[in-house]
Amino acid sequence: MPASGPAATKTKYSFTDDYSEGAHPDVLNALLLSNNSQEVGYGHDSYSETARELIRRQLGCDDVGIFFVPSGTSANAISIAACLRPHEAVIACSSGHIVTRETGAVEASGHKIINVAPKDGKLTPESLTKALDDNWHFPHMARPRLVYISNATEVGTVYTKAELTALKRLCEANGLLLFSDGARIGAALTSSMNDMTLTDMLELTDIFWIGGTKNGALLGEAVIVKDPKLAEDFEFFVKQHGSLLAKGRVMGVQFAELFRDDDSLYFKLAGRANLAAEKLSRSIVGAGYQLSAKTETNQVFALLPQGLVKALQQEFSFYEWEKYGEFSVVRLLTTWATDPAQLERFNQIVLSWTPDAQKTL
Amino acid sequence: MPASGPAATKTKYSFTDDYSEGAHPDVLNALLLSNNSQEVGYGHDSYSETARELIRRQLGCDDVGIFFVPSGTSANAISIAACLRPHEAVIACSSGHIVTRETGAVEASGHKIINVAPKDGKLTPESLTKALDDNWHFPHMARPRLVYISNATEVGTVYTKAELTALKRLCEANGLLLFSDGARIGAALTSSMNDMTLTDMLELTDIFWIGGTKNGALLGEAVIVKDPKLAEDFEFFVKQHGSLLAKGRVMGVQFAELFRDDDSLYFKLAGRANLAAEKLSRSIVGAGYQLSAKTETNQVFALLPQGLVKALQQEFSFYEWEKYGEFSVVRLLTTWATDPAQLERFNQIVLSWTPDAQKTL
Amino acid sequence: MPASGPAATKTKYSFTDDYSEGAHPDVLNALLLSNNSQEVGYGHDSYSETARELIRRQLGCDDVGIFFVPSGTSANAISIAACLRPHEAVIACSSGHIVTRETGAVEASGHKIINVAPKDGKLTPESLTKALDDNWHFPHMARPRLVYISNATEVGTVYTKAELTALKRLCEANGLLLFSDGARIGAALTSSMNDMTLTDMLELTDIFWIGGTKNGALLGEAVIVKDPKLAEDFEFFVKQHGSLLAKGRVMGVQFAELFRDDDSLYFKLAGRANLAAEKLSRSIVGAGYQLSAKTETNQVFALLPQGLVKALQQEFSFYEWEKYGEFSVVRLLTTWATDPAQLERFNQIVLSWTPDAQKTL
Amino acid sequence: MPASGPAATKTKYSFTDDYSEGAHPDVLNALLLSNNSQEVGYGHDSYSETARELIRRQLGCDDVGIFFVPSGTSANAISIAACLRPHEAVIACSSGHIVTRETGAVEASGHKIINVAPKDGKLTPESLTKALDDNWHFPHMARPRLVYISNATEVGTVYTKAELTALKRLCEANGLLLFSDGARIGAALTSSMNDMTLTDMLELTDIFWIGGTKNGALLGEAVIVKDPKLAEDFEFFVKQHGSLLAKGRVMGVQFAELFRDDDSLYFKLAGRANLAAEKLSRSIVGAGYQLSAKTETNQVFALLPQGLVKALQQEFSFYEWEKYGEFSVVRLLTTWATDPAQLERFNQIVLSWTPDAQKTL
C-alpha cells in the first residue's frame, strides 16, 4: 500500500494546502436539494446545463463549450490532448504544474513539454520567444503549438491584463494556442494585483479552466473551450480519459451554486481566501520578518527563523520549503474556510516569539 | 457544443440506466457530517482509510491495496495500464464495456484488446483457449497477459463460482492475470443466481473493482489490487490518469458509509435493485410476454409488441434495443431508488394493454 | 535472447515467405553505383527526389506526397497515426495485417481498431456498413474515421476496380478516409484478376503504400499521401516513429531503380512472382489436389494429404496452416527470385507421390 | 511536400554531417556477396547471428542480447520504451539527442524526460543528484528510473572511464538504469581522450547501442541489452515500433563485416574520422584562430571571422552555429570517407585568408 505522507484527519490546524476542507455549506446544501430528481447522465443533466448558462453569462458569451471534469490533472491532460496532434508540443514554465506535479500525464498522452524559465512563476514573451528560437528544426523537433500558463501561478502570482495580452499577441503571431490552468483562477481574479475579468480570460486565451476543487466545491473543474471545432469533439477526450462522470450532475449542481448570482459565491470565496493570506502576511511583516515573495493571492511565502517555525509547528501544519542557515522559507495556504481565530492565534505566536522563548518551548 | 441525446431533467419516469438519481440519503448525510474536518489530500484522509479498513474486513484480507477512482472508465483504463507492459494485450468479450463503451480508452493508453465471442455476455474457457491459440506468433503478435470480464456482465448475467474458478485456473495455467469490472458487482453478488462473496471475488481474480456510482454513491469505484507489487505503484497510475482527487475524502466518506455495517448498505441497495427488476420481469411474463434474456440482476431484457412499447413510452423512458417485426427488445434498468409505485404503474399498463387499446391512444 | 523460430541460412528451398532473398541484382547494382556521392540526409537526397518523380509519373500526378519508410509495420503505424486523432478509430478486417501481425503497433500509438469479418480476405461494403451501424454511440465510442484494407490481401486475393470503387464511395458518404496496405501491391496489380493501375489506386484511396521489401528491394516502402495538408506534416510522423533514415538515399536509390522505366522493373518482378505461384497451383491441381483458395497473386493455399506434405518437407520449407483429418492446408509463397528448377522439382514430387510412396520414405 | 532544407546531391564538399556518403566499400561488397542466399526473416538470419557472435566476442560476453534497428531514433525510443513503465521517467541532458532532435519520440511512447544541465555536453553526478532531489514527490511526480547519456556526446566530447564509473555507481545507489546512445560510440572509443573499451561500456551501462549509420554502414544500429529479462522481451518492442525488418540480413551483413576482425573495420573507420577532425582543428589553430570546444572526436567547433566563413562557404558546406559580433561558431563534421585532398584545400583557405582578401571576394 502506498504511504506518501501523513494519513488521517489533521490534528493541527493546517495551512498546508487549499483542499483540506469539504465543500462550502451552500454547495453541499445544493447537492442535498437536487438529490432526488432523475437526470440524464454524462453531463447532460439539467444542473450541468444551468451551470453552463450561468458561467456563460459571466463570460459574456453564449456559445462557448463548457465541460466539467473531476480534477485539475484531468483538466490539463484532456485539454492538451484535445489541442495537440502527436507531433506538436506544449511550451510551459519549468515551474508549471504539468511539469512538476502531474506524474507525466501530458507525456503519457504522447506530448512533449518544452520547458522555459519562469519569472515570478510567470511565462514571459522573452522566454516564449527563446523557446520558439530553439525549436525550429522540423521535422526533427516537435512543433510548438500550445502555450500553457497558470493564473494564479504555482507561486501565487497573477498575470496582469497587459502581460496576458502580450503573450496572446505573441501566440497569435506564431500560430500558437494559449491555454490557462485555472486551479486558482478565483484567487487570481480577486487578487489586489488583478485587472481582469472572466471575460478577459476568455478573450485572451483559447482554452482555460475554472477550478472548483480549490474554491468551494467537493470536486470539479469547468473547462472553457472557445473554438467551436475544438468544442465539438471535446467530450470524446473527456470520456476517453475516464473523466465523463455518469452522474455529471454532481459537478453541475456545485458549479450552478457557485455561479448562481452575478455577484457570485465563487469569487466571494476566493476573495475570502486572499484576505486570509493578506492577514497572515501582515502578521509576519508586522513582526519584523520578511516575505520571500509578494503575497498576491492565497499563498504566503515567508522567511522565518527556524525557532519560530518550530514554535508555529506546535499548533499548525504547513510546508517548510527550503532552509537558509537559521531561516526557512515556509509556505502557508489559505481558503474560504480558513478560521479567523486561527489567523489570530498565528499572529499571537509570531508576535510573541523571541529567540529566548524558543529555548523554553 | 456536444448534444449527444436528451438534455435536462427526465420528464418521464426513467428505466433507462442505473445512474439517474443522486446518492442514497445515508451517503449524502455522511458527506454532510464529514464536511468540516480538515483532511489530508489525495486519498490519505481518515475517511478513505476507514473505508479501506471496512472493505478489507468484508474481503477477509488485511493487506490488499484499495484505490478510489471517480468513474468506471477510469477504473478499467487505470487497472489495465497498471497490469500490462506495452507489448501485452488484454482479452475481452466483444460485448465488454472496454470494447464497446469507453471511447478506446484502453487503446489510448497503448494496449491491444483481443476480442472473443461472449456466451450470455460471459467469457468462457473455450473462447479464452481459442484466443490463446490464435495469438502465439511472437513477437509479431502482442502477448496475451490479462483477461477482462464483467460481473455482472453487460447483459445482466452473473458468473457462478464454478465458472469463475474455471477461468481463473485457465488463466493461471497460461500466465494470465484476471481482472473483473465491478460496475454492477453489487447486483451480481445479490443475484438469485449468485453463489459468491466478495472474498471469492478477491480469491478468484487478480484485480477487480467495486462500483459505487451505480449503487448508491454520487461517484466512485474502489479498485482492489491483490498483488503487493502492483499495489505499490498503483497510485502513480491513478494520478497520471487524472483520477487522484485532491479531496479524496469525497469518495472515502461514501464508501465508508456503504460498507459501515457487516450487513452492508451496499449489498442492501443492490438487492433492492434486483428485486425491482424481478418485479418488472414478473409483470412482463405474467402478462404473457417473453423475456429475451433471463433476468439475473438489475437489467431486464424483454420482447414486447411495439404497440405496448409505445404505450409504455407515454409514461416511461427506456432503451428500445432492437426491432423484430412487430416486436422490440427493450432494456429496463432498476436501482435501489426505483419507485415501487412506478413498478406498479408499469405493471398496470402491461396488463391492461391490448392491441386494440393501442389504437385508442 | 529471443528464439522465435529457426535461425540461420535456410537449408531447404523455401516457399515460406517472400522476403527470404536479398535485393534484385539491378537494385543492388544501383546502390553500388550511387555509393560515393555526398547527399543531403533524411530523405532529401537526389536519389529519393528522382524516385519520387518516377513514381509520380506512374501515378499520373505531380503533387502527391511520397515518403520512404523501412518496413510495412512502420508504413501502417505511421500512416494511421497521421490520419487519426486520438478519439478516432480505424476499421479493418479481422484478418488484416495490423490486427494479426504487428504486435499492437496501431494501438501502441493510441488507436482503436474496429474489427469486421472479411470475405475472401476482403473488406466489403456490407461489413463496413455494419461497423458503422455498431459504432455510433458518441462520445462513448471512438469515432470511425479510417478504413484499412490490403491489396493484395493477407490471403492473396485482389480488389477489383468495382469493389474498391464501392468501398471508396461508401467511405466518402460517411466521412471516412480509405487506406491501403501495399506490401504486395505489385502482386495485386499484376494479378490476372486485376483491372486497376497505380493511378486507380491513387484515385480510389486517400493514402496507400507501395511495398519494396517483398518485391525486389532490400528494404523500404513508399507511402503515397494524396491530401496536401496530410502530406505537409507527414514527415514529422516518419521521424517520430524512428523511420526517417539519415541515409534516406538507401531507399531512394532502390525505388528509383525499381521505377526507372515506364515498363517498370517493379511490376516485372511482381509478375514473375505471380507466374511462379501459378505454376505451383497448376502442379497441385494437375496432380488432382485442391486449392483451398483461388490463387490470385503470389500466395498459394492448397489442401494436401499429410503424407505428401511430409514428402515435400524433405526438400522444401513452407507453412503448414491448418490440419483437417489426414489433410493439411499449406501456404506457399513465391517471389521474383523463385528458382524455376525448384518449381519443377516441386512438380515432380507432387506428381510422383502416392500414399504408398509415403510408407517407404 | 515537405521541404526542410536543401535537396539533391551536395554541390560543395560537405562537412555538414557524418551521414552524407553511402557505406564503406567493404560493407557494400559484403551485401553483394550475401545477396543470393535464402535467409530466415526478421533478424534470425545467419548473417545477423554471425554479427551478434562477433560483437559478443568484442564485448567479452557470451549471453548478451543484441538487436539491430534501422535508425538512432528507433534505437533510443525502443530502448527507453522497453526499460520504463508508464509512470517512470528518463533523466537526460537538455542537449541530449532525445530532447532536441527526435520529434518527441520518447514522449510519444508516453515517457517524461527530466532535463538536467550538461557540462561540456556530459551528464554529471551533480546534475543527476539534483534531478533526484527535485523529483521525489510521489506519486505526483513520475519516478526517475533511467539515465540517458550519449558517448560521444552531441558536442563531440567523450566520457572517461572514471566519469562513467561515477555515474554508474550513482545510478546503482538510486535504483536507476544507465543507457548510452552510441550513434558515435566509434568516434568516442577511438578518441585520444578515451580510456574505455566496448567491454567497459557493457560493464558500466545497462543498455547501450553501437551506431552503424554514422560509421560505415548504410543503416543500422546494434542495441546491446545486458539484462536477460529485458532482452527476452526486447524483440516485441522492436517489432511494435516498426523496426523489425523482414530482411534483417541487411543489417546483419553490415555489422558482420564491420566487426569481422578483432582489429575491426568499425574502429578503424571511426579512428579515421577522428584523425580528419584533428587535421581540421590543427589547420584552424595553426592559422591563429580558436576552437570553441576541444576537439575530442569527429566534430570540430571553431570560432572564425565571418569573412573567413564566407570564403570557406565558397567551396564547403557546414553549419554556422552562432554569431558573436564579427565571428561565428562553425561546426565541421568528418567521417571515414572524408577526402584528404579536401582537408588540404580547407587548410589552404584558412591559412591564406586575410581580412583584405575578403573584400576582394
Side-chain angles (χ1 to χ4, degrees):
Chain A
M1 274 296 303
S4 65
T9 305
K10 289 166 171 174
T11 48
K12 299 173 191 173
Y13 195 78
S14 172
F15 293 115
T16 308
D17 55 53
D18 39 9
Y19 41 80
S20 291
E21 288 91 3
H24 185 269
D26 291 358
V27 169
L28 208 56
N29 196 46
L31 279 172
L32 209 67
L33 294 176
S34 71
N35 189 55
N36 294 325
S37 74
Q38 284 192 320
E39 296 287 329
V40 173
Y42 296 110
H44 294 281
D45 60 281
S46 60
Y47 299 100
S48 294
E49 292 299 357
T50 298
R52 288 188 187 99
E53 279 165 36
L54 290 164
I55 294 173
R56 285 191 190 110
R57 198 165 70 194
Q58 291 231 2
L59 291 166
C61 178
D62 276 355
D63 61 357
V64 70
I66 302 183
F67 304 86
F68 301 106
V69 299
S71 77
T73 296
S74 67
N76 285 334
I78 290 168
S79 298
I80 292 170
C83 285
L84 297 184
R85 306 242 31 227
H87 59 298
E88 295 173 339
V90 51
I91 296 171
C93 285
S94 56
S95 54
H97 205 260
I98 58 169
V99 176
T100 62
R101 285 294 187 285
E102 300 187 359
T103 324
V106 169
E107 290 90 346
S109 51
H111 299 293
K112 188 181 191 73
I113 306 176
I114 296 169
N115 285 242
V116 302
K119 190 177 167 190
D120 296 333
K122 290 185 263 189
L123 197 141
T124 63
E126 291 69 35
S127 57
L128 180 51
T129 300
K130 183 173 180 343
L132 293 172
D133 287 350
D134 289 347
N135 287 277
W136 58 271
H137 190 198
F138 308 136
H140 299 267
M141 293 171 170
R143 185 158 56 197
R145 171 64 178 150
L146 183 67
V147 172
Y148 166 93
I149 60 169
S150 305
N151 193 28
T153 69
E154 289 76 9
V155 297
T157 50
V158 303
Y159 283 87
T160 64
K161 190 168 179 176
E163 286 170 340
L164 193 57
T165 302
L167 283 181
K168 178 65 176 157
R169 295 298 155 259
L170 190 55
C171 285
E172 283 170 354
N174 289 282
L176 298 169
L177 299 173
L178 183 53
F179 168 48
S180 179
D181 178 324
R184 295 191 181 106
I185 197 175
L189 298 188
T190 55
S191 163
S192 60
M193 303 294 293
N194 175 65
D195 58 357
M196 289 197 288
T197 63
L198 274 183
T199 304
D200 294 324
M201 285 299 298
L202 180 65
E203 193 183 319
L204 295 174
T205 66
D206 293 280
I207 174 168
F208 75 101
W209 53 278
I210 300 174
T213 301
K214 291 178 177 168
N215 194 34
L218 278 177
L219 78 156
E221 334 292 326
V223 186
I224 314 298
V225 183
K226 201 158 67 177
D227 180 60
K229 213 174 145 38
L230 186 58
E232 197 184 320
D233 280 2
F234 201 84
E235 218 178 13
F236 283 94
F237 289 86
V238 177
K239 173 68 183 169
Q240 190 176 69
H241 284 246
S243 293
L244 194 65
L245 300 190
K247 297 182 180 171
R249 65 196 291 159
V250 72
M251 296 185 291
V253 167
Q254 295 183 82
F255 272 94
E257 186 62 27
L258 288 168
F259 284 93
R260 183 158 316 285
D261 306 312
D262 285 346
D263 178 16
S264 71
L265 180 60
Y266 186 80
F267 288 116
K268 278 185 203 160
L269 296 183
R272 214 178 290 170
N274 287 351
L275 221 64
E278 215 177 298
K279 275 191 194 165
L280 284 180
S281 297
R282 273 203 299 257
S283 293
I284 289 161
V285 174
Y289 304 112
Q290 284 193 334
L291 299 177
S292 62
K294 198 167 171 312
T295 302
E296 300 190 359
T297 53
N298 66 326
Q299 302 198 50
V300 177
F301 293 87
L303 193 68
L304 301 181
Q306 277 153 22
L308 173 52
V309 170
K310 267 184 201 147
L312 288 166
Q313 284 172 337
Q314 302 288 319
E315 301 189 27
F316 300 101
S317 65
F318 51 83
Y319 273 113
E320 209 173 338
W321 221 240
E322 265 179 299
K323 300 197 175 192
Y324 292 101
E326 300 190 354
F327 284 76
S328 282
V329 172
V330 300
R331 190 188 80 155
L332 306 163
L333 258 81
T334 57
T335 75
W336 55 271
T338 299
D339 183 352
Q342 298 287 351
L343 294 176
E344 188 47 44
R345 176 66 189 142
F346 185 94
N347 188 41
Q348 282 173 3
I349 298 177
V350 172
L351 279 180
S352 62
W353 183 82
T354 64
D356 288 344
Q358 182 186 12
K359 290 164 190 162
T360 69
L361 279 175
Chain B
M1 273 298 302
S4 65
T9 304
K10 290 168 170 173
T11 49
K12 300 172 191 173
Y13 195 79
S14 172
F15 293 115
T16 308
D17 55 53
D18 40 8
Y19 41 80
S20 290
E21 289 91 1
H24 186 270
D26 290 359
V27 169
L28 209 55
N29 195 47
L31 278 172
L32 210 68
L33 294 176
S34 71
N35 190 56
N36 294 324
S37 74
Q38 285 192 320
E39 296 287 330
V40 172
Y42 295 110
H44 294 282
D45 59 280
S46 61
Y47 299 100
S48 295
E49 292 298 356
T50 298
R52 288 187 188 100
E53 280 164 36
L54 290 164
I55 294 173
R56 284 191 192 111
R57 200 166 67 193
Q58 292 231 0
L59 291 166
C61 178
D62 276 355
D63 61 355
V64 70
I66 302 183
F67 304 87
F68 301 105
V69 300
S71 77
T73 297
S74 66
N76 285 334
I78 290 167
S79 297
I80 292 171
C83 285
L84 297 184
R85 305 243 30 227
H87 59 299
E88 296 174 338
V90 52
I91 297 173
C93 285
S94 57
S95 54
H97 205 261
I98 59 169
V99 177
T100 63
R101 288 290 188 286
E102 300 188 359
T103 323
V106 169
E107 291 90 346
S109 51
H111 299 292
K112 187 180 194 70
I113 305 176
I114 296 169
N115 286 240
V116 303
K119 191 177 167 188
D120 296 333
K122 289 184 263 187
L123 198 140
T124 62
E126 292 69 35
S127 57
L128 180 51
T129 300
K130 182 174 179 345
L132 294 172
D133 286 349
D134 289 347
N135 287 276
W136 58 270
H137 189 198
F138 309 135
H140 298 266
M141 293 171 170
R143 184 158 56 199
R145 170 67 175 144
L146 183 67
V147 172
Y148 166 92
I149 59 168
S150 305
N151 193 28
T153 70
E154 290 75 9
V155 297
T157 49
V158 304
Y159 283 87
T160 63
K161 190 166 178 178
E163 287 171 340
L164 193 57
T165 302
L167 283 180
K168 179 62 177 160
R169 293 299 156 259
L170 191 54
C171 286
E172 283 170 354
N174 289 281
L176 299 168
L177 300 173
L178 183 52
F179 167 48
S180 179
D181 179 323
R184 296 188 182 107
I185 198 176
L189 298 190
T190 55
S191 165
S192 59
M193 304 293 294
N194 175 65
D195 59 355
M196 288 197 288
T197 62
L198 275 183
T199 304
D200 294 325
M201 285 298 299
L202 179 66
E203 192 182 318
L204 295 174
T205 65
D206 294 280
I207 174 169
F208 75 102
W209 52 278
I210 300 173
T213 301
K214 292 176 177 172
N215 195 34
L218 279 176
L219 78 158
E221 333 293 326
V223 186
I224 314 298
V225 183
K226 199 157 67 175
D227 180 60
K229 212 174 145 41
L230 187 57
E232 195 184 321
D233 280 1
F234 202 83
E235 218 179 14
F236 283 94
F237 288 85
V238 177
K239 173 67 183 172
Q240 190 177 68
H241 284 246
S243 293
L244 193 66
L245 300 190
K247 296 180 180 172
R249 64 195 292 157
V250 72
M251 296 185 292
V253 167
Q254 295 183 82
F255 272 93
E257 185 62 27
L258 288 167
F259 284 93
R260 181 158 316 286
D261 305 314
D262 285 346
D263 178 14
S264 72
L265 180 61
Y266 186 79
F267 287 115
K268 280 186 201 159
L269 296 183
R272 213 178 291 171
N274 287 352
L275 219 64
E278 215 176 298
K279 277 192 191 164
L280 284 179
S281 297
R282 273 202 299 257
S283 293
I284 289 161
V285 173
Y289 304 112
Q290 286 193 329
L291 299 177
S292 61
K294 194 165 174 314
T295 301
E296 301 190 359
T297 52
N298 66 326
Q299 303 198 49
V300 176
F301 293 87
L303 192 68
L304 302 182
Q306 276 153 23
L308 173 52
V309 170
K310 267 184 200 143
L312 287 166
Q313 285 172 337
Q314 302 288 319
E315 302 189 27
F316 300 102
S317 63
F318 51 83
Y319 273 112
E320 209 172 337
W321 219 242
E322 263 180 298
K323 300 198 176 190
Y324 292 100
E326 299 190 355
F327 284 75
S328 282
V329 173
V330 301
R331 189 188 78 156
L332 306 163
L333 259 82
T334 57
T335 74
W336 56 271
T338 299
D339 182 352
Q342 298 287 349
L343 294 176
E344 190 44 46
R345 176 64 190 145
F346 185 94
N347 188 42
Q348 282 174 2
I349 298 177
V350 173
L351 280 180
S352 63
W353 182 82
T354 65
D356 289 344
Q358 181 187 15
K359 290 162 189 164
T360 67
L361 281 176
Chain C
M1 271 298 302
S4 64
T9 303
K10 290 167 171 173
T11 48
K12 302 172 190 174
Y13 195 78
S14 173
F15 293 116
T16 308
D17 56 53
D18 39 9
Y19 40 80
S20 290
E21 288 92 3
H24 186 270
D26 291 358
V27 169
L28 210 55
N29 195 45
L31 278 172
L32 210 66
L33 293 176
S34 71
N35 190 55
N36 295 324
S37 74
Q38 285 192 320
E39 295 288 329
V40 171
Y42 296 108
H44 294 280
D45 60 280
S46 61
Y47 298 101
S48 295
E49 292 299 356
T50 298
R52 288 188 188 100
E53 279 165 35
L54 290 163
I55 294 173
R56 285 191 191 110
R57 199 165 69 193
Q58 291 231 2
L59 291 166
C61 178
D62 277 354
D63 60 357
V64 71
I66 301 182
F67 304 87
F68 301 106
V69 299
S71 77
T73 296
S74 67
N76 285 333
I78 290 167
S79 297
I80 292 171
C83 285
L84 297 185
R85 307 248 22 233
H87 59 300
E88 294 174 339
V90 53
I91 296 171
C93 285
S94 56
S95 53
H97 205 262
I98 58 168
V99 177
T100 62
R101 285 293 187 285
E102 300 187 0
T103 324
V106 170
E107 290 90 346
S109 52
H111 298 293
K112 186 180 193 72
I113 306 176
I114 296 169
N115 286 241
V116 302
K119 192 178 163 186
D120 297 333
K122 288 184 263 188
L123 198 139
T124 62
E126 291 68 36
S127 57
L128 180 50
T129 300
K130 182 170 179 347
L132 294 172
D133 286 350
D134 288 348
N135 287 275
W136 58 271
H137 189 198
F138 308 136
H140 299 266
M141 291 170 170
R143 186 157 56 200
R145 172 67 176 145
L146 183 67
V147 172
Y148 166 92
I149 60 169
S150 304
N151 193 28
T153 70
E154 289 76 8
V155 297
T157 50
V158 304
Y159 284 87
T160 64
K161 189 166 180 178
E163 287 171 339
L164 193 56
T165 302
L167 282 181
K168 178 63 176 159
R169 293 298 157 260
L170 191 55
C171 286
E172 283 170 356
N174 289 281
L176 298 168
L177 300 172
L178 184 52
F179 167 48
S180 180
D181 178 323
R184 296 190 181 107
I185 198 175
L189 298 188
T190 55
S191 165
S192 60
M193 303 294 293
N194 174 64
D195 58 357
M196 290 198 286
T197 61
L198 273 184
T199 305
D200 294 324
M201 284 299 298
L202 180 65
E203 193 183 318
L204 294 174
T205 65
D206 293 281
I207 174 168
F208 75 101
W209 52 277
I210 300 173
T213 302
K214 291 177 178 169
N215 194 33
L218 278 177
L219 78 157
E221 332 294 326
V223 186
I224 314 297
V225 184
K226 199 158 68 174
D227 179 61
K229 211 174 145 40
L230 186 57
E232 196 184 321
D233 280 2
F234 202 84
E235 218 179 14
F236 283 93
F237 288 85
V238 177
K239 173 67 183 170
Q240 191 176 66
H241 285 246
S243 293
L244 192 67
L245 300 190
K247 296 181 180 171
R249 66 196 291 159
V250 72
M251 296 183 292
V253 167
Q254 295 182 83
F255 272 93
E257 185 62 26
L258 288 167
F259 285 94
R260 180 159 317 285
D261 305 313
D262 285 345
D263 177 16
S264 71
L265 180 61
Y266 186 80
F267 288 114
K268 279 186 202 158
L269 296 182
R272 211 177 292 170
N274 288 350
L275 222 62
E278 217 177 297
K279 277 193 192 164
L280 284 180
S281 298
R282 273 203 299 259
S283 295
I284 289 162
V285 173
Y289 304 110
Q290 287 193 330
L291 299 177
S292 61
K294 195 168 176 310
T295 302
E296 302 191 358
T297 53
N298 66 326
Q299 302 198 50
V300 177
F301 293 87
L303 192 68
L304 301 181
Q306 276 153 24
L308 173 52
V309 171
K310 268 185 200 145
L312 288 166
Q313 284 172 339
Q314 303 287 322
E315 300 190 28
F316 299 101
S317 64
F318 50 84
Y319 272 112
E320 207 172 341
W321 219 242
E322 263 179 299
K323 300 199 174 190
Y324 292 98
E326 299 191 355
F327 284 75
S328 283
V329 174
V330 301
R331 190 188 79 155
L332 305 162
L333 259 81
T334 57
T335 74
W336 56 270
T338 299
D339 182 352
Q342 298 288 350
L343 294 176
E344 191 45 48
R345 176 67 189 140
F346 184 95
N347 188 41
Q348 283 174 1
I349 298 178
V350 172
L351 280 179
S352 62
W353 183 82
T354 64
D356 288 344
Q358 182 186 12
K359 289 164 191 159
T360 67
L361 280 174
Chain D
M1 274 297 302
S4 64
T9 304
K10 288 167 172 175
T11 48
K12 299 172 190 173
Y13 195 79
S14 173
F15 293 116
T16 308
D17 55 54
D18 39 10
Y19 42 80
S20 290
E21 288 91 2
H24 186 270
D26 291 358
V27 169
L28 210 54
N29 195 46
L31 278 172
L32 211 66
L33 293 176
S34 70
N35 191 55
N36 294 324
S37 73
Q38 285 191 320
E39 295 288 330
V40 172
Y42 296 108
H44 294 281
D45 60 280
S46 61
Y47 298 101
S48 295
E49 293 299 355
T50 300
R52 288 188 188 100
E53 280 164 37
L54 290 164
I55 295 173
R56 285 191 191 110
R57 198 165 68 194
Q58 291 232 359
L59 290 166
C61 178
D62 276 353
D63 62 355
V64 72
I66 302 183
F67 305 87
F68 300 106
V69 299
S71 77
T73 296
S74 67
N76 285 333
I78 290 167
S79 298
I80 292 171
C83 285
L84 296 185
R85 306 244 28 229
H87 59 297
E88 295 174 338
V90 51
I91 297 171
C93 285
S94 56
S95 54
H97 205 262
I98 58 168
V99 177
T100 62
R101 285 293 187 284
E102 300 186 0
T103 324
V106 170
E107 290 91 346
S109 51
H111 298 293
K112 187 180 193 72
I113 306 176
I114 296 168
N115 286 240
V116 302
K119 190 177 167 189
D120 297 333
K122 289 184 261 188
L123 198 140
T124 62
E126 290 69 35
S127 57
L128 179 51
T129 300
K130 182 171 180 344
L132 294 173
D133 287 348
D134 288 348
N135 288 275
W136 58 272
H137 189 198
F138 309 135
H140 299 266
M141 294 170 169
R143 185 157 54 199
R145 171 67 176 143
L146 183 67
V147 171
Y148 166 93
I149 61 169
S150 306
N151 192 29
T153 70
E154 290 76 8
V155 297
T157 49
V158 304
Y159 284 86
T160 63
K161 190 168 180 178
E163 286 170 340
L164 193 56
T165 303
L167 284 181
K168 180 61 176 160
R169 294 297 156 260
L170 191 54
C171 286
E172 284 170 353
N174 289 281
L176 299 168
L177 300 172
L178 183 53
F179 168 47
S180 179
D181 179 325
R184 296 190 181 105
I185 197 175
L189 298 188
T190 55
S191 164
S192 60
M193 304 293 294
N194 175 64
D195 58 357
M196 289 197 288
T197 63
L198 274 183
T199 304
D200 295 324
M201 283 301 296
L202 179 65
E203 192 183 320
L204 295 174
T205 65
D206 293 280
I207 175 169
F208 75 101
W209 52 277
I210 300 173
T213 302
K214 292 178 176 169
N215 195 35
L218 278 176
L219 78 156
E221 333 293 327
V223 186
I224 314 298
V225 183
K226 199 159 66 175
D227 179 60
K229 210 172 147 41
L230 186 58
E232 196 184 319
D233 280 0
F234 202 84
E235 219 179 14
F236 283 93
F237 289 85
V238 177
K239 173 66 183 171
Q240 190 176 68
H241 285 247
S243 293
L244 193 68
L245 300 190
K247 296 181 181 171
R249 66 196 289 158
V250 72
M251 297 183 293
V253 167
Q254 296 182 79
F255 272 94
E257 185 63 27
L258 288 167
F259 284 94
R260 181 157 319 281
D261 305 313
D262 285 347
D263 178 16
S264 73
L265 181 59
Y266 186 80
F267 288 116
K268 280 187 201 157
L269 296 183
R272 212 177 293 170
N274 287 351
L275 221 63
E278 214 175 300
K279 275 193 191 162
L280 284 180
S281 296
R282 274 203 298 258
S283 292
I284 288 161
V285 173
Y289 304 111
Q290 286 193 332
L291 299 177
S292 62
K294 196 164 174 314
T295 301
E296 301 191 357
T297 54
N298 67 326
Q299 303 197 51
V300 176
F301 294 88
L303 192 69
L304 301 181
Q306 277 152 24
L308 174 52
V309 170
K310 267 185 199 143
L312 288 166
Q313 284 172 338
Q314 302 288 319
E315 302 189 27
F316 299 101
S317 64
F318 50 83
Y319 274 112
E320 208 172 339
W321 221 240
E322 265 180 298
K323 300 199 175 190
Y324 293 99
E326 299 190 355
F327 283 75
S328 284
V329 173
V330 301
R331 189 188 80 156
L332 305 162
L333 259 80
T334 58
T335 75
W336 56 271
T338 298
D339 183 352
Q342 297 288 350
L343 294 176
E344 189 46 46
R345 176 66 189 141
F346 184 94
N347 188 41
Q348 282 174 1
I349 298 178
V350 172
L351 280 179
S352 63
W353 183 82
T354 64
D356 287 346
Q358 181 187 13
K359 288 162 191 164
T360 68
L361 280 176

